[in-house]
């Protein structure tokens, strides 16, 4: 186990009119044992990261489509869809229900976008819809992140 990061935040509590201080840290463990890695994996973090990585690839697919590389863009979107479906299938029952729905939604979205990008006459509106979803995913506006258990005030 190794320390990865430590964060301390001091702020003026507007309700109590006092200065509060919160501290939190995180550690990581490494293993070559596949079983240990699977058992100890934080599946929710994995899902959130997968959505963000898929979003980055979706941005790349948009750029490919802009450059006229429709097949490459389509292939990337379909790969995104398959990867997200696999994650949802494997971990959907052990992660938060809303997060599992978000994995499924993004998988379906990438699959439908792979068809949308082929029609040149609808590309402008399709592109706008894709950019909207990319921005929403990047900001995690629709995902509800559970707060970790309180570490207490220091």
């Amino acid at each position: 186990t190794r320390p990865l990061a430590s964060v301390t935040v001091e702020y003026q509590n507007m309700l109590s009119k006092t200065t509060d201080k919160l501290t939190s840290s995180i550690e990581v463990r490494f293993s070559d044992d596949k079983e240990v890695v699977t058992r100890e994996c934080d599946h929710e973090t994995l899902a959130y990261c997968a959505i963000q990585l898929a979003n980055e690839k979706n941005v790349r697919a948009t750029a490919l489509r802009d450059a006229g590389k429709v097949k490459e863009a389509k292939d990337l979107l379909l790969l995104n869809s398959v990867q997200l479906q696999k994650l949802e299938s494997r971990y959907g029952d052990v992660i938060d229900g809303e997060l599992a729905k978000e994995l499924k939604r993004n998988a379906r979205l990438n699959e439908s976008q792979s068809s949308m990008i082929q029609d040149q006459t609808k590309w402008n509106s399709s592109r706008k819809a894709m950019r909207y979803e990319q921005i929403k995913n990047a900001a995690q506006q629709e995902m509800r992140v559970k707060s970790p258990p309180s570490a207490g005030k220091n």
Side-chain angles (χ1 to χ4, degrees), residues 97-109:
E98 289 301 311
L99 181 53
K101 287 178 190 173
E102 193 63 23
L103 276 173
K104 194 176 284 191
R105 186 187 78 79
N106 274 276
R108 284 193 312 262
L109 187 64

Side-chain angles (χ1 to χ4, degrees), residues 11-20 153:
Y11 62 96
Q12 184 66 36
N13 186 318
M14 302 301 275
L15 296 174
S16 67
K17 307 288 189 220
T18 60
T19 300
D20 288 343
K153 293 182 181 179

Side-chain angles (χ1 to χ4, degrees), residues 40-60:
E40 298 294 324
C41 177
D42 182 339
H43 300 111
E44 287 199 6
T45 301
L46 176 66
Y48 282 116
C49 289
I51 290 168
Q52 290 305 311
L53 290 170
N55 195 51
E56 288 299 317
K57 291 178 195 167
N58 193 289
V59 169
R60 193 163 143 238

Side-chain angles (χ1 to χ4, degrees), residues 18-49:
T18 60
T19 300
D20 288 343
K21 181 179 179 180
L22 299 173
T23 301
S24 186
S25 60
I26 188 169
E27 296 176 334
V28 293
R29 288 187 308 253
F30 300 90
S31 177
D32 292 329
D33 186 339
K34 205 172 188 177
E35 233 178 74
V36 170
V37 172
T38 301
R39 185 179 63 245
E40 298 294 324
C41 177
D42 182 339
H43 300 111
E44 287 199 6
T45 301
L46 176 66
Y48 282 116
C49 289

Side-chain angles (χ1 to χ4, degrees), residues 52 55 102 105-106 133-140 143:
Q52 290 305 311
N55 195 51
E102 193 63 23
R105 186 187 78 79
N106 274 276
E133 291 294 337
Q134 292 162 3
I135 291 165
K136 189 170 80 169
N137 271 342
Q140 297 182 351
M143 292 180 250

Side-chain angles (χ1 to χ4, degrees), residues 37-96:
V37 172
T38 301
R39 185 179 63 245
E40 298 294 324
C41 177
D42 182 339
H43 300 111
E44 287 199 6
T45 301
L46 176 66
Y48 282 116
C49 289
I51 290 168
Q52 290 305 311
L53 290 170
N55 195 51
E56 288 299 317
K57 291 178 195 167
N58 193 289
V59 169
R60 193 163 143 238
T62 304
L64 285 168
R65 175 59 181 88
D66 284 342
K69 298 179 178 180
V70 180
K71 182 180 178 350
E72 291 95 329
K74 179 180 179 166
D75 290 347
L76 191 54
L77 291 169
L78 288 173
L79 179 64
N80 261 354
S81 180
V82 168
Q83 289 173 336
L84 292 169
Q85 286 174 32
K86 282 181 184 176
L87 270 176
E88 194 281 324
S89 175
R90 180 178 285 163
Y91 303 118
D93 55 345
V94 296
I95 60 175
D96 178 69

